[in-house]
Amino acid sequence: GNSVTQMEGPVTLSEEAFLTINCTYTATGYPSLFWYVQYPGEGLQLLLKATKADDKGSNKGFEATYRKETTSFHLEKGSVQVSDSAVYFCALNYGGATNKLIFGTGTLLAVQP
Amino acid sequence: DTGVSQDPRHKITKRGQNVTFRCDPISEHNRLYWYRQTLGQGPEFLTYFQNEAQLEKSRLLSDRFSAERPKGSFSTLEIQRTEQGDSAMYLCASSQGGTANTGELFFGEGSRLTVL
């Protein structure tokens, strides 16, 4: 079946440190892949996406590359800020045009000044 | 603000009572989704609508759960005879279908249910 596995948190970093949050998936076919972010007290919002193999999604300094050979979609940022503190969810679209998503369990990122 | 709104934000109820949550999607979105999120887990798909038609229900949606979207705009999710295991955050999301579909879901802030 379809599933998403992401690294457990919390991840605690100092400001300006490099961030990697690992995400791997199992899926039939070639799903679109997403990273959603949930800031404290807010709803989930899309951070970035990639729709096919070797695509790189990017937004707000975050990047992730759709790697079919390793079934991965790791999230990276070169220099994190305190304002990046949030829960990050990796997700895949297993419903095609219906946009049904399977989410990972989420990774809490805490950035300290 | 024209985002997805949910009401109430927090509901505390006693086991066995019925509860209803409301979701108002982004006005131009014809698709509406309900997800459930328990502590330490990612959201899980429950059901989705295209306009007023409920097109799919997850097996997570027991017969105590019913969702409606009568006029293709707002939606309600009712839980009858609540159980402690129903305690969770209920998330609503909307999206556009057809040629405007970008694959992105727009989420509300959720309705947290606590069953005592």
Side-chain angles (χ1 to χ4, degrees):
Chain A
N2 300 299
S3 66
V4 174
T5 302
Q6 61 181 105
M7 64 187 287
E8 293 189 13
V11 174
T12 304
L13 296 173
S14 297
E15 209 164 20
E16 299 183 1
F18 183 86
L19 168 71
T20 300
I21 301 178
N22 290 338
C23 171
T24 57
Y25 68 90
T26 302
T28 53
Y30 304 101
S32 296
L33 301 174
F34 304 82
W35 278 99
Y36 277 79
V37 59
Q38 186 170 31
Y39 298 104
E42 298 184 14
L44 284 158
Q45 55 187 270
L46 180 67
L47 179 60
L48 53 84
K49 70 177 184 181
T51 57
K52 62 183 186 297
D54 300 325
D55 265 4
K56 177 185 283 188
S58 61
N59 186 25
K60 299 182 180 179
F62 291 89
E63 293 183 340
T65 301
Y66 189 159
R67 301 281 189 205
K68 187 163 70 75
E69 63 277 12
T70 56
T71 61
S72 65
F73 193 54
H74 305 321
L75 182 68
E76 296 182 336
K77 187 175 185 182
S79 176
V80 294
Q81 305 300 312
V82 172
S83 57
D84 294 327
S85 298
V87 181
Y88 292 81
F89 292 91
C90 184
L92 70 81
N93 179 352
Y94 69 106
T98 62
N99 296 346
K100 291 187 302 180
L101 301 182
I102 287 180
F103 287 86
T105 54
T107 302
L108 173 63
L109 170 65
V111 180
Q112 299 176 336
Chain B
D1 184 16
T2 57
V4 178
S5 62
Q6 294 187 244
D7 183 71
R9 294 290 308 280
H10 196 178
K11 177 72 175 178
I12 301 173
T13 191
K14 293 182 179 179
R15 189 177 54 184
Q17 298 295 303
N18 299 342
V19 297
T20 299
F21 301 113
R22 176 181 170 124
C23 171
D24 287 90
I26 294 171
S27 58
E28 61 267 29
H29 287 178
N30 62 352
R31 292 183 178 172
L32 186 146
Y33 306 77
W34 286 99
Y35 281 77
R36 180 173 69 187
Q37 185 178 15
T38 54
L39 198 61
Q41 299 298 316
E44 296 173 294
F45 170 79
L46 292 179
T47 188
Y48 99 97
F49 293 82
Q50 179 149 316
N51 301 312
E52 65 276 9
Q54 187 174 20
L55 296 186
E56 190 166 341
K57 293 193 291 186
S58 161
R59 61 176 181 265
L60 293 175
L61 214 64
S62 76
D63 55 8
R64 296 185 297 105
F65 288 69
S66 62
E68 294 182 343
R69 193 182 184 199
K71 297 182 180 178
S73 56
F74 73 92
S75 175
T76 57
L77 176 68
E78 181 183 18
I79 308 174
Q80 296 182 323
R81 306 181 302 281
T82 52
E83 301 173 356
Q84 288 185 324
D86 298 331
S87 296
M89 179 76 85
Y90 290 87
L91 301 173
C92 178
S94 67
S95 75
Q96 292 181 306
T99 57
N101 183 7
T102 64
E104 179 177 359
L105 296 187
F106 295 80
F107 283 87
E109 294 179 356
S111 294
R112 181 172 296 284
L113 174 64
T114 302
V115 181
L116 302 177

